Amino acid sequence: MKVTWIVLAFVLFSHLHWTAAAPGAGLHTWDRFSKLPYPGDKAFLYDTFPDKFMWAVGTAAYSVEGAWEKDGKGKSIWDTFTRGGTQVSRGDVGSDSYHNIPGDLRALQQLGVSHYRFSLSWPRIFSNGTKESYNEKGVEYYKSLIQGLKEIKVQPVVTLYHWDLPDSLQTLFGGWSNSVMVELFREYADFCFKTFGSDVKFWITIDNPFVVAWHGYGTGVVAPGIKNDSDLPFRVGHNLLKAHAAAWHLYDDRYCSSQGGRVSMALASHWIRPSRTRQENRKACQCSLDFVLGWFARPLFVDGDYPPYMKRNLTHRLPSFTEAESLYVNGTADFFALSHGPALSFQLINDSLRFGQTEDLGLRMLLYWVGAEYNNPPIFVVESGWFGSGNTKTKDAKHMYYLKSFIMETLKAICFDRVNVIGYTAWSLLDGYEWYREYGIRRGLFFVDFNTPYLKREPKTSATFYSKLIEKNGFPQLPENRPAQGVFPCDFAWGVAANSIQVDAIPTQFADPSVYIWNISGNGELKKVPGVLVPPMHRKHHCADYSSILQQVSDVHRMQVSHFHFSLNWSSITPTGRVSDANETLLKYYHCFVSELQKVNVTPVVTLWYHTGKLSSLPAPMEAGGGWQSKETVQAFADYARLCFQRLGAHVKLWITLNEPNDEDLEFTVGHQLLRAHALAWHVYDTEFRRAQGGKASLVLHMDWVEPAFSFNREDVEPANRVLDFRVSWFAEPIFGSGDYPAVMRTWLQQRSNIDLFNYHLPAFSDEDRLLVKGTYDFFAISHFTTSMVYDGVEDKYTFKDKLQVQLISDVTWIMSPRRNSPVVPWGLRKARKSLEKIFVYHSQNTAYTLDGVNLKGYFAYAFSDQRDPGFGMHGHVQEEVISKSSLAHYKNIIHHNGFPAPGTPQQHCPHAPVHGSRRYVLTKQPVVGFLSLVSSYMLITVCLVIYYAVKRHKIATKKLKKMVPVDSCTFNLFVLLVSLITYKLCF
């Protein structure tokens, strides 16, 4: 009876402790996150963490302690493992934390953490794994560390076992494969709770049991390196769970009431997303998480048994819990200790555990899944972070931005998903021995110089970032990051851009000679009348004859923009490069296009030449003659510009000579000739056409913004300025500035040429060229797409710019563009504009609207249509049907409000631009008359046909039909011809 009451009481306690979640409750996670608004849900969240949120940092004993056989410490399985097989280096010294407690404490103080997670080395306390081998000096080391933490007001989070099993236990019993380990671990835990427990409020029994079981006793990747027994990992996992439960019950029974601590097991997991959207793929993802995380989490948090997916797949290979064992294991966790990062994701999960799905680093989704699957327990993230290469020193940009991303995802899980996250642990405090990766990677917030006698510690940029974040308890919104409100001036130019336009230079209006019947009373279809053709009509072509122009102009007009920017095709207008051989048909087409734009009050902005990178867009003879290296090409461009100004200038008031010529991969000699070509074209317009046409001309420079990867020191800004000099000032300074290349650019290249023997030489401007180029602009136009970050280190050789000696990276919290694989960073454009004003403020000629001191005159969205600019257009094409994307609706709304007016503000009143002529559409008076007359003739013919066939089919009129003269096809064709000729004569 007594036993029965005990079991009943335990069941009731377990039920109160954890209410079991519905089996597979996390399955809806993938559906939920697939339906969240994009990109709004991906936007950066400016907010802070809850009060008393635990900020921690962690280490593992074998990684950092060193002193592997000093002061009575016994060998661990890692000491043995690293001395055999293919291991090259060992953790004998690690970060030498055993001899440098003061250094570790100083690092913790610099970070400002509230908690420090470290592990006890079992063989340092019990040299052979049992209490009879008690090692006093080892115990004193941990007492000193805990006392030091107490003095600096940092709470210890203590792990009893972080993979370094006493080697003697592996040799004598086979390690965790033997159930005798349950009692041995309980004995070890008892000593630790008794010795250190008065100062410890958070205990982790075992770290990452999945890695211990699956890779220690399955794949053999980590110590003890056992493999070739496919069932052994599951027996090991079974013993690990029972050992943990024994330690938890021991603490709960003997120490919890007096010490007031909490105990859990650190469970690590990847995240995984479906390779397809089908429900079967989501179930496969659920299965993958169950095989890694659920293997240990479900017995602890749900029902004391393994996940159904595992039981169905493994059958007899998976050990079974007795009813008593299930009751004993279930509920033995006071919080959910979650590990996440490279020790598991992307490195140790093999294909068999992915179940055909794709791994991902979605910490936010993992947190949500844990909350849903296990009834929203308090979650303490006890390990999280990324890594840098083994050569990384104090500038660890990748580690820092991944850390930022994981913390941001944790914040969103708390604020948006209501997940009960109580703490976050950055991994790790120090560079050290990284298990099977040895010293090939670095995960520390503090750099450890392994080549110095005392293993000097130095904070990395990730440490500075983490300390500032802790200080602010998250990401409080700064004034400059708040959404801007207000409207633009009435004359602000709202435009849309396209690299090119659709050219169909053959007039298509009225080209079809067929005759159609219009089914007025039915479905309204037009049906062709077989064998009936209208004779061709001899008339002049008009702009209204180009259906391609009508369609494009109509689409632009409906966008409600005031400007349309497109590029001419030089190689098509003058195929030989000589203006005497100009394509008159194409010039007439372009003339029609710009004139029809102007008639609907859309200002054309025309580019003479668009740089297309490695694809040549020069006339073939120019390309064969040396391209832009040749002076003949430069002169030919000036002649081509003159031709365009002559033929189109009456309708074009904004000219772009060169669009984005400042390609970073361009040779400096080519860039020099492009500057001369622009200048010659600008002077042609200035001297020959400006007075009569009243337009403006300049060039467009590509200016993606560059942000310092670190902004903690003044020297961090220099690499970003260097990139901007080479990216923008290379062309801007000669035109808008001094008439020469930037001094910094020339000095840098001279130094690089001397040191590295590269042929980096900027051409010299002659006095004549300097006068030719300087001041050849009427406005400053930039194109901007994205922002990148730079620093003067080497992280990834594929994105390292050798010429500039800078590393390009992205902040992983930025929203990525699916088309360009580049981030969307709206504030980058604002900083780019401010930078231009700062550099070239003394050249500004407009004093209209200013934003941040910038004389901003217009904004052009890119791009008009997917047909000419695939993936970027606001008009898309689906099965030959033109569709309007949501971006178009958003842009039209901004144009309609002329910005972002604050709620409740009076509506802005702007005078409307005058309408050209008496109509707002594209046709002039004479073509309108001709068009209407021809339409009338076709309608007359159609009516006649309808009457003819109706009479012919009508049975009641049979007698009347017999009296009529039979109308054969020849007679009818003559009738049609007569009507057409009469109508045409009347109209023309």
Side-chain angles (χ1 to χ4, degrees):
M1 178 67 74
K2 183 178 180 182
V3 174
T4 304
W5 278 108
I6 292 173
V7 171
L8 179 60
F10 181 75
V11 170
L12 288 171
F13 174 78
S14 298
H15 181 73
L16 292 171
H17 195 63
W18 293 116
T19 304
L27 185 61
H28 75 278
T29 301
W30 292 276
D31 278 327
R32 179 186 187 274
F33 281 91
S34 67
K35 295 174 182 176
L36 293 178
Y38 182 86
D41 185 64
K42 294 293 183 182
F44 195 85
L45 173 61
Y46 290 99
D47 208 337
T48 55
F49 284 81
D51 293 338
K52 298 182 180 180
F53 188 81
M54 296 183 290
W55 292 107
V57 68
T59 57
Y62 185 75
S63 292
V64 300
E65 282 184 4
W68 74 288
E69 58 178 358
K70 188 174 182 180
D71 292 340
K73 176 187 174 292
K75 281 200 304 182
S76 75
I77 54 174
W78 275 93
D79 294 322
T80 302
F81 180 70
T82 55
R83 282 164 170 74
T86 60
Q87 299 296 313
V88 176
S89 55
R90 299 182 283 270
D92 294 356
V93 178
S95 313
D96 200 26
S97 286
Y98 185 78
H99 297 109
N100 200 354
I101 289 178
D104 289 357
L105 294 176
R106 281 195 300 271
L108 292 167
Q109 281 186 297
Q110 281 186 262
L111 290 176
V113 293
S114 60
H115 291 70
Y116 175 44
R117 182 191 169 196
F118 64 93
S119 66
L120 306 175
S121 173
W122 191 345
R124 193 178 296 282
I125 294 174
F126 295 162
S127 59
N128 69 8
T130 64
K131 62 182 179 181
E132 289 78 16
S133 59
Y134 167 73
N135 177 27
E136 185 175 356
K137 289 190 175 181
V139 173
E140 287 302 317
Y141 165 70
Y142 294 117
K143 285 183 176 179
S144 298
L145 175 58
I146 293 172
Q147 180 59 33
L149 292 173
K150 192 173 183 179
E151 291 172 1
I152 63 171
K153 295 180 173 57
V154 173
Q155 290 283 333
V157 179
V158 179
T159 302
L160 294 174
Y161 178 71
H162 200 132
W163 308 358
D164 52 348
L165 185 71
D167 188 62
S168 58
L169 299 184
Q170 183 66 39
T171 303
L172 291 172
F173 306 113
W176 289 105
S177 64
N178 195 320
S179 60
V180 71
M181 287 296 301
V182 175
E183 182 55 34
L184 289 172
F185 183 72
R186 182 182 182 281
E187 181 182 79
Y188 163 61
D190 189 22
F191 175 85
C192 295
F193 294 150
K194 185 188 305 178
T195 306
F196 311 114
S198 59
D199 295 311
V200 178
K201 302 306 176 188
F202 286 93
W203 290 96
I204 306 293
T205 56
I206 297 168
D207 180 83
N208 203 339
F210 170 82
V211 168
V212 176
W214 189 262
H215 295 295
Y217 292 84
T219 66
V221 173
V222 301
I226 297 172
K227 48 189 174 182
N228 300 324
D229 183 349
S230 59
D231 293 345
L232 183 58
F234 304 110
R235 296 200 301 271
V236 168
H238 204 66
N239 289 331
L240 288 168
L241 277 166
K242 291 196 290 185
H244 157 78
W248 186 90
H249 282 290
L250 171 71
Y251 188 84
D252 192 59
D253 293 341
R254 296 188 186 178
Y255 301 102
C256 185
S257 60
S258 60
Q259 296 180 0
R262 290 190 272 179
V263 181
S264 191
M265 182 189 234
L267 306 181
S269 183
H270 61 314
W271 179 246
I272 195 161
R273 55 184 172 85
S275 57
R276 296 184 181 180
T277 58
R278 297 182 303 200
Q279 187 66 19
E280 292 80 8
N281 293 82
R282 289 179 169 83
K283 290 180 179 178
C285 289
Q286 181 84 359
C287 187
S288 178
L289 290 175
D290 271 344
F291 264 75
V292 177
L293 182 59
W295 181 2
F296 300 95
R298 188 178 180 93
L300 298 181
F301 292 91
V302 180
D303 57 8
D305 201 359
Y306 295 115
Y309 284 117
M310 292 187 74
K311 295 171 74 172
R312 283 198 300 268
N313 280 271
L314 298 172
T315 60
H316 66 279
R317 298 174 58 194
L318 192 66
S320 299
F321 289 104
T322 65
E323 185 177 353
E325 286 174 336
S326 291
L327 292 171
Y328 192 66
V329 170
N330 186 27
T332 57
D334 300 320
F335 57 95
F336 200 111
L338 179 66
S339 295
H340 173 265
L344 195 63
S345 296
F346 291 97
Q347 294 184 16
L348 282 177
I349 292 293
N350 54 34
D351 289 338
S352 66
L353 295 178
R354 292 190 180 100
F355 295 92
Q357 310 311 307
T358 306
E359 247 185 304
D360 191 75
L361 278 176
L363 177 56
R364 176 185 172 188
M365 288 178 280
L366 177 60
L367 289 167
Y368 183 86
W369 185 88
V370 169
E373 190 78 6
Y374 304 115
N375 199 40
N376 202 27
I379 302 173
F380 190 174
V381 180
V382 293
E383 178 180 345
S384 179
W386 202 240
F387 63 93
S389 70
N391 298 323
T392 303
K393 296 188 184 300
T394 58
K395 294 184 176 181
D396 59 338
K398 182 191 285 188
H399 185 188
M400 183 179 80
Y401 284 107
Y402 269 107
L403 188 64
K404 178 183 178 183
S405 174
F406 295 146
I407 295 172
M408 169 55 56
E409 292 196 6
T410 304
L411 182 60
K412 286 185 175 181
I414 295 170
C415 296
F416 294 159
D417 309 325
R418 304 305 177 194
V419 181
N420 186 16
V421 186
I422 61 174
Y424 181 90
T425 306
W427 202 270
S428 64
L429 176 65
L430 306 167
D431 289 336
Y433 184 81
E434 291 299 334
W435 312 107
Y436 65 98
R437 299 292 297 271
E438 302 179 11
Y439 294 101
I441 63 172
R442 290 176 179 264
R443 297 190 65 191
L445 299 178
F446 279 76
F447 170 72
V448 176
D449 190 342
F450 298 111
N451 297 317
T452 57
Y454 300 103
L455 278 67
K456 178 183 176 184
R457 290 139 165 74
E458 190 174 351
K460 299 180 186 178
T461 49
S462 56
T464 306
F465 161 77
Y466 194 46
S467 66
K468 295 298 181 184
L469 183 140
I470 293 171
E471 180 183 317
K472 296 179 180 179
N473 198 35
F475 308 97
Q477 189 173 56
L478 301 174
E480 59 266 29
N481 293 324
R482 295 192 182 108
Q485 291 182 328
V487 294
F488 291 84
C490 288
D491 64 346
F492 190 79
W494 292 107
V496 65
N499 286 341
S500 60
I501 59 171
Q502 179 184 346
V503 175
D504 187 0
I506 300 174
T508 55
Q509 290 288 345
F510 321 119
D512 186 356
S514 302
V515 175
Y516 296 83
I517 294 177
W518 183 14
N519 187 353
I520 301 176
S521 61
N523 57 12
E525 288 184 350
L526 289 174
K527 292 186 177 180
K528 185 187 292 187
V529 179
V532 180
L533 300 175
V534 176
M537 299 179 186
H538 301 286
R539 55 182 287 278
K540 292 181 180 180
H541 289 152
H542 301 283
C543 291
D545 296 345
Y546 298 101
S547 62
S548 58
I549 290 179
L550 297 180
Q551 183 63 51
Q552 290 180 92
V553 170
S554 175
D555 289 342
V556 171
H557 179 58
R558 285 197 298 270
M559 291 182 72
Q560 302 177 11
V561 294
S562 59
H563 291 66
F564 180 64
H565 177 205
F566 70 97
S567 301
L568 304 177
N569 191 324
W570 181 12
S571 61
S572 296
I573 292 177
T574 59
T576 66
R578 297 188 298 268
V579 295
S580 58
D581 299 327
N583 185 331
E584 289 295 327
T585 302
L586 185 56
L587 280 171
K588 289 178 181 177
Y589 183 89
Y590 281 132
H591 179 272
C592 277
F593 190 86
V594 295
S595 64
E596 300 309 322
L597 278 176
Q598 198 175 38
K599 289 169 188 173
V600 294
N601 286 339
V602 175
T603 301
V605 182
V606 178
T607 290
L608 297 175
W609 184 73
Y610 178 81
H611 177 60
T612 54
K614 296 180 180 179
L615 298 175
S616 175
S617 53
L618 297 176
M622 300 290 98
E623 185 65 36
W628 285 110
Q629 299 272 15
S630 170
K631 292 183 178 179
E632 285 73 18
T633 301
V634 174
Q635 186 56 52
F637 179 74
D639 296 338
Y640 157 69
R642 181 180 287 106
L643 173 67
C644 295
F645 297 151
Q646 287 172 342
R647 302 297 293 273
L648 308 178
H651 301 288
V652 178
K653 305 307 176 186
L654 290 172
W655 289 97
I656 303 296
T657 57
L658 308 174
N659 193 80
E660 299 181 355
N662 54 324
D663 187 333
E664 293 181 58
D665 297 325
L666 209 66
E667 295 181 21
F668 296 128
T669 53
V670 173
H672 198 75
Q673 294 294 70
L674 285 169
L675 282 166
R676 295 185 67 252
H678 155 76
L680 286 174
W682 188 87
H683 282 293
V684 165
Y685 190 82
D686 189 54
T687 57
E688 301 178 29
F689 299 96
R690 187 188 299 278
R691 183 184 295 271
Q693 296 180 358
K696 296 179 180 181
S698 192
L699 81 170
V700 173
L701 297 180
H702 180 208
M703 189 179 184
D704 283 348
W705 182 243
V706 183
E707 188 78 1
F710 319 112
S711 55
F712 308 129
N713 300 300
R714 182 176 297 177
E715 58 265 23
D716 296 331
V717 180
E718 197 277 329
N721 289 338
R722 187 191 316 153
V723 173
L724 288 173
D725 269 339
F726 276 79
R727 183 176 286 178
V728 184
S729 298
W730 171 23
F731 271 70
E733 185 64 28
I735 296 172
F736 299 89
S738 64
D740 197 358
Y741 296 115
V744 172
M745 186 178 179
R746 197 178 289 279
T747 302
W748 174 264
L749 290 175
Q750 288 173 349
Q751 291 174 347
R752 293 284 287 145
S753 296
N754 292 336
I755 296 172
D756 296 326
L757 304 179
F758 291 113
N759 187 26
Y760 294 144
H761 295 290
L762 277 175
F765 279 99
S766 64
D767 292 340
E768 181 183 358
D769 282 348
R770 189 189 303 269
L771 291 174
L772 175 72
V773 172
K774 184 177 180 181
T776 54
Y777 71 94
D778 296 312
F779 51 88
F780 201 128
I782 63 171
S783 63
H784 172 88
F785 294 95
T786 188
T787 294
S788 57
M789 291 186 155
V790 296
Y791 65 100
D792 54 354
V794 182
E795 183 86 37
D796 182 351
K797 63 181 180 180
Y798 295 106
T799 55
F800 181 76
K801 297 290 184 181
D802 183 72
K803 182 166 65 178
L804 301 181
Q805 291 290 288
V806 295
Q807 179 72 61
L808 290 178
I809 63 165
S810 289
D811 184 336
V812 291
T813 63
W814 291 343
I815 299 171
M816 296 301 295
S817 165
R819 292 292 180 182
R820 288 174 58 94
N821 193 30
S822 58
V824 180
V825 192
W827 52 258
L829 177 58
R830 181 181 178 187
K831 289 195 174 184
R833 294 196 301 254
K834 290 177 69 175
S835 173
L836 292 176
E837 182 70 7
K838 183 178 179 181
I839 298 172
F840 303 111
V841 64
Y842 49 89
H843 296 292
S844 179
Q845 296 182 359
N846 300 313
T847 58
Y849 182 62
T850 59
L851 174 67
D852 295 325
V854 179
N855 298 320
L856 189 64
K857 299 296 293 181
Y859 176 87
F860 286 66
Y862 178 76
F864 172 60
S865 170
D866 278 346
Q867 190 172 18
R868 313 306 299 176
D869 304 283
F872 292 96
M874 286 184 278
H875 286 104
H877 294 263
V878 177
Q879 297 179 348
E880 299 184 359
E881 181 182 352
V882 178
I883 61 169
S884 296
K885 299 182 184 178
S886 57
S887 57
L888 176 57
H890 287 298
Y891 192 41
K892 288 173 68 174
N893 184 58
I894 294 170
I895 295 172
H896 175 73
H897 292 95
N898 202 29
F900 310 92
T905 56
Q907 186 176 358
Q908 184 184 27
H909 296 286
C910 292
H912 292 287
V915 179
H916 293 271
S918 59
R919 300 170 186 84
R920 289 188 61 87
Y921 207 63
V922 294
L923 305 173
T924 56
K925 184 177 181 180
Q926 188 175 354
V928 168
V929 175
F931 173 71
L932 292 176
S933 301
L934 287 172
V935 170
S936 299
S937 68
Y938 279 124
M939 290 181 66
L940 180 59
I941 293 168
T942 302
V943 170
C944 292
L945 283 170
V946 171
I947 295 172
Y948 168 72
Y949 282 106
V951 170
K952 187 177 180 179
R953 290 193 303 265
H954 210 288
K955 294 181 180 179
I956 299 176
T958 302
K959 293 181 180 181
K960 293 182 180 180
L961 284 173
K962 289 180 179 179
K963 295 178 181 180
M964 293 174 63
V965 178
V967 183
D968 57 16
S969 60
C970 180
T971 305
F972 182 74
N973 285 340
L974 289 173
F975 169 71
V976 170
L977 175 61
L978 180 63
V979 172
S980 300
L981 289 174
I982 293 171
T983 307
Y984 183 77
K985 189 67 176 176
L986 289 171
C987 296
F988 293 90

